[in-house]
Amino acid sequence: MPKSYAPKDTERVLRPGTSAPDFALEGSPDGRTYRLADYRGRPVVLAFYPADWSPVCSDQLPIYSELMPEFRKLGAEVLGISVDGVWCHLAFAKHRNLRFPLLSDFEPKGEIARTYDVYRKGEGVSERALFVIDREGMIRWSYVSPIGVNPGADGILEALEGLQQGRKP
Protein backbone atom coordinates (compact mmCIF):
# COMPACT_ATOMS: atom_id res chain seq x y z
CA MET A 1 0.00 0.00 0.00
CA PRO A 2 1.19 3.55 -0.61
CA LYS A 3 2.17 5.52 2.43
CA SER A 4 -0.57 7.60 4.04
CA TYR A 5 0.16 11.26 4.54
CA ALA A 6 -1.32 14.11 6.53
CA PRO A 7 0.21 17.57 6.94
CA LYS A 8 0.98 18.60 10.53
CA ASP A 9 -2.23 20.62 10.84
CA THR A 10 -4.32 17.54 9.98
CA GLU A 11 -2.56 14.87 12.00
CA ARG A 12 -5.89 13.76 13.46
CA VAL A 13 -7.21 12.60 10.06
CA LEU A 14 -8.63 9.09 10.25
CA ARG A 15 -5.88 6.58 9.62
CA PRO A 16 -5.75 3.16 7.99
CA GLY A 17 -7.18 0.45 10.21
CA THR A 18 -10.00 2.73 11.40
CA SER A 19 -13.60 1.85 10.69
CA ALA A 20 -14.95 4.39 8.17
CA PRO A 21 -17.76 6.44 9.72
CA ASP A 22 -21.03 5.87 7.92
CA PHE A 23 -22.91 8.81 6.45
CA ALA A 24 -26.01 9.72 4.49
CA LEU A 25 -25.57 12.67 2.13
CA GLU A 26 -27.67 14.14 -0.65
CA GLY A 27 -26.21 13.74 -4.11
CA SER A 28 -28.80 15.33 -6.37
CA PRO A 29 -31.54 17.95 -6.36
CA ASP A 30 -34.18 15.17 -6.47
CA GLY A 31 -33.22 14.25 -2.90
CA ARG A 32 -31.31 11.03 -3.64
CA THR A 33 -29.33 10.06 -0.58
CA TYR A 34 -26.06 8.17 -0.70
CA ARG A 35 -25.04 6.06 2.30
CA LEU A 36 -21.57 4.62 2.74
CA ALA A 37 -23.17 1.45 4.13
CA ASP A 38 -24.84 0.87 0.74
CA TYR A 39 -21.38 0.26 -0.74
CA ARG A 40 -20.41 -2.58 1.63
CA GLY A 41 -18.91 -5.45 -0.31
CA ARG A 42 -16.87 -3.26 -2.67
CA PRO A 43 -14.07 -0.74 -2.21
CA VAL A 44 -14.95 2.94 -2.07
CA VAL A 45 -12.80 5.99 -2.75
CA LEU A 46 -13.89 9.08 -0.82
CA ALA A 47 -12.51 12.25 -2.36
CA PHE A 48 -13.08 15.21 -0.04
CA TYR A 49 -12.36 18.49 -1.79
CA PRO A 50 -12.70 22.16 -0.82
CA ALA A 51 -15.11 23.56 -3.42
CA ASP A 52 -16.70 23.12 -6.81
CA TRP A 53 -15.25 25.50 -9.41
CA SER A 54 -11.95 26.10 -7.59
CA PRO A 55 -8.94 25.78 -9.91
CA VAL A 56 -7.34 22.71 -8.31
CA CYS A 57 -10.66 20.87 -7.83
CA SER A 58 -11.56 21.63 -11.45
CA ASP A 59 -8.41 19.73 -12.46
CA GLN A 60 -8.44 16.99 -9.81
CA LEU A 61 -11.96 15.59 -10.13
CA PRO A 62 -11.93 15.15 -13.94
CA ILE A 63 -8.87 12.91 -13.51
CA TYR A 64 -10.97 10.54 -11.39
CA SER A 65 -13.77 10.68 -13.92
CA GLU A 66 -11.39 9.72 -16.73
CA LEU A 67 -10.06 6.86 -14.61
CA MET A 68 -13.50 5.44 -13.77
CA PRO A 69 -12.98 2.42 -16.06
CA GLU A 70 -9.76 1.61 -14.18
CA PHE A 71 -11.40 2.13 -10.77
CA ARG A 72 -14.28 -0.12 -11.83
CA LYS A 73 -11.83 -2.83 -13.01
CA LEU A 74 -10.52 -2.76 -9.45
CA GLY A 75 -14.11 -3.05 -8.18
CA ALA A 76 -14.19 0.45 -6.68
CA GLU A 77 -16.74 3.23 -6.58
CA VAL A 78 -15.77 6.91 -6.25
CA LEU A 79 -17.69 9.50 -4.23
CA GLY A 80 -16.74 13.18 -4.20
CA ILE A 81 -17.65 15.18 -1.08
CA SER A 82 -17.60 18.93 -0.48
CA VAL A 83 -19.62 21.51 1.45
CA ASP A 84 -21.24 22.83 -1.74
CA GLY A 85 -24.96 22.36 -2.28
CA VAL A 86 -26.53 19.84 -4.65
CA TRP A 87 -27.39 22.45 -7.30
CA CYS A 88 -23.81 23.66 -7.41
CA HIS A 89 -22.65 20.02 -7.66
CA LEU A 90 -25.08 19.39 -10.52
CA ALA A 91 -23.77 22.34 -12.56
CA PHE A 92 -20.12 21.55 -11.79
CA ALA A 93 -20.47 17.84 -12.63
CA LYS A 94 -22.20 18.65 -15.92
CA HIS A 95 -19.61 21.29 -16.87
CA ARG A 96 -16.63 19.04 -16.01
CA ASN A 97 -18.29 15.85 -17.39
CA LEU A 98 -17.91 13.99 -14.09
CA ARG A 99 -19.12 10.38 -14.03
CA PHE A 100 -19.36 9.78 -10.30
CA PRO A 101 -21.59 11.26 -7.58
CA LEU A 102 -20.74 14.51 -5.84
CA LEU A 103 -22.22 14.53 -2.35
CA SER A 104 -23.28 17.61 -0.43
CA ASP A 105 -21.85 18.00 3.08
CA PHE A 106 -23.79 21.25 3.24
CA GLU A 107 -26.05 21.18 6.28
CA PRO A 108 -24.92 20.92 8.94
CA LYS A 109 -21.96 22.36 7.09
CA GLY A 110 -18.98 20.02 7.02
CA GLU A 111 -20.48 17.47 9.41
CA ILE A 112 -19.04 14.47 7.54
CA ALA A 113 -15.71 16.20 6.90
CA ARG A 114 -15.52 16.80 10.66
CA THR A 115 -16.27 13.10 11.28
CA TYR A 116 -13.29 12.19 9.08
CA ASP A 117 -11.20 14.96 10.73
CA VAL A 118 -10.69 16.82 7.46
CA TYR A 119 -12.74 20.00 8.01
CA ARG A 120 -10.96 23.37 7.74
CA LYS A 121 -12.94 25.40 10.26
CA GLY A 122 -11.25 28.70 9.43
CA GLU A 123 -12.22 28.50 5.77
CA GLY A 124 -15.44 26.50 6.14
CA VAL A 125 -14.38 23.83 3.64
CA SER A 126 -12.88 20.37 3.76
CA GLU A 127 -9.26 19.46 3.23
CA ARG A 128 -8.23 17.93 -0.06
CA ALA A 129 -8.36 14.42 1.41
CA LEU A 130 -8.58 10.92 -0.03
CA PHE A 131 -9.69 7.72 1.66
CA VAL A 132 -9.72 4.20 0.27
CA ILE A 133 -12.22 2.05 2.14
CA ASP A 134 -12.23 -1.73 1.81
CA ARG A 135 -15.19 -4.08 1.31
CA GLU A 136 -15.73 -4.39 5.07
CA GLY A 137 -15.84 -0.62 5.66
CA MET A 138 -12.30 -0.18 7.01
CA ILE A 139 -10.08 2.69 5.94
CA ARG A 140 -7.07 1.12 4.22
CA TRP A 141 -5.38 4.27 2.91
CA SER A 142 -5.73 7.98 3.60
CA TYR A 143 -3.96 11.01 2.22
CA VAL A 144 -4.35 14.72 2.85
CA SER A 145 -2.81 16.85 0.15
CA PRO A 146 -1.77 20.45 0.69
CA ILE A 147 -4.88 22.46 -0.20
CA GLY A 148 -3.35 23.96 -3.37
CA VAL A 149 -1.87 20.70 -4.70
CA ASN A 150 -3.66 18.21 -6.92
CA PRO A 151 -2.95 14.76 -5.40
CA GLY A 152 -3.63 12.94 -8.65
CA ALA A 153 -4.68 9.30 -8.65
CA ASP A 154 -1.47 7.26 -8.28
CA GLY A 155 -1.91 6.69 -4.54
CA ILE A 156 -5.54 5.70 -4.97
CA LEU A 157 -4.72 3.19 -7.71
CA GLU A 158 -1.84 1.71 -5.73
CA ALA A 159 -4.07 1.33 -2.65
CA LEU A 160 -6.86 -0.30 -4.67
CA GLU A 161 -4.40 -2.68 -6.33
CA GLY A 162 -3.09 -3.55 -2.87
CA LEU A 163 -6.61 -4.37 -1.73
CA GLN A 164 -7.08 -6.65 -4.72
CA GLN A 165 -3.84 -8.44 -3.87
CA GLY A 166 -4.86 -8.75 -0.22
CA ARG A 167 -2.18 -6.41 1.17
CA LYS A 168 -2.87 -4.50 4.38
CA PRO A 169 -1.56 -0.98 5.08
Side-chain angles (χ1 to χ4, degrees), residues 105-127:
D105 195 9
F106 185 70
E107 190 59 43
K109 189 175 184 180
E111 179 179 38
I112 303 309
R114 292 172 207 268
T115 303
Y116 280 77
D117 289 325
V118 294
Y119 187 70
R120 295 174 68 100
K121 187 176 180 180
E123 293 100 327
V125 299
S126 73
E127 294 284 353

Side-chain angles (χ1 to χ4, degrees), residues 14-92:
L14 297 183
R15 301 285 186 193
T18 305
S19 182
D22 197 15
F23 58 77
L25 292 172
E26 279 190 65
S28 66
D30 68 4
R32 179 167 178 198
T33 299
Y34 291 78
R35 291 173 176 77
L36 184 58
D38 293 342
Y39 292 89
R40 278 286 165 90
R42 60 189 161 200
V44 176
V45 176
L46 297 183
F48 286 89
Y49 64 99
D52 294 337
W53 307 105
S54 70
V56 177
C57 298
S58 292
D59 292 336
Q60 176 189 4
L61 297 179
I63 291 170
Y64 305 151
S65 194
E66 289 299 315
L67 289 172
M68 283 309 297
E70 189 66 28
F71 292 140
R72 294 255 163 81
K73 269 199 265 183
L74 294 166
E77 296 293 330
V78 176
L79 301 173
I81 302 174
S82 83
V83 298
D84 294 303
V86 292
W87 288 104
C88 189
H89 281 337
L90 181 67
F92 181 64

